[in-house]
Amino acid sequence: LPPPPALGDVHLWFFEAAILQPCFGSLHEDLSASEREESDRYVTPTERRRFSLYRGAFRRVLSWYEGCPTENLEFSRGRHGKPSHRVVPSENGIGQSDEAISGITFNVTHSHEYSVLAIGREAELGVDVERIRLPRDLRSLTRELERNPKWLNRGIPIWVAA
C-alpha cells in the first residue's frame, strides 16, 4: 500500500463489487454493529451486499492509513451528509486518540457496481462517480453524431467510450 498522502495530495481508490465479492465475509465482519444494522435496512440483497462490501473496504483502507485496527474507526456524518471519522483507542490502548493526529480526511461515492474512496490530508474532499448508460440503439446515436459532428469536440467520445 502507498504511504499516507502528503499535504495537497489525494489518493483515489476504485472498487468494483464483483472484484470485492470473494472477500464479502471478512469485509462484512469488519463492520461495526451500527453499520450492520444500516446494511440490513437496505431493501434489496444487492444493495445490502454493496453496502457491506464498500464500507468494509473503506474501513480496511482507512485503518491502514491510520495505523489502527478496523474496529478503532468510528464514522459519522456532518450536517450535509459528508462523512468523517475518528480513531478511538481500544481497551488495550491500540489506536490513536483523535483524527487530528493524522489529519487523514476522506470522501466516498458509489454508483451501482462501482465506488470511489478519496483520501487526503487536512483537506475538504469531494468525489463523485456516475453510472453512464449507453443508449440501447447505438445506430441512432451514431446517426445523431454524424448529423452533429461538432458534438465530437464536446466530450461525447468519452461518454461513448465509457
Side-chain angles (χ1 to χ4, degrees), residues 1 16 27 32 49 53 57 128 130 133 135:
L1 293 171
E16 183 176 352
L27 290 172
S32 68
R49 175 183 59 85
L53 289 170
D128 195 25
E130 295 292 332
R133 290 188 160 164

Side-chain angles (χ1 to χ4, degrees), residues 5 20 34 48 56 65 73 80 82 99 101 104 113 128 147:
L20 293 174
S34 64
R48 289 191 293 271
Y65 280 107
L73 293 175
H80 302 290
K82 194 166 193 129
E99 67 181 304
I101 293 172
I104 294 293
E113 290 296 311
D128 195 25
R147 278 189 285 241

Side-chain angles (χ1 to χ4, degrees), residues 15-28:
F15 300 100
E16 183 176 352
I19 292 172
L20 293 174
Q21 183 58 41
C23 302
F24 176 81
S26 64
L27 290 172
H28 186 74

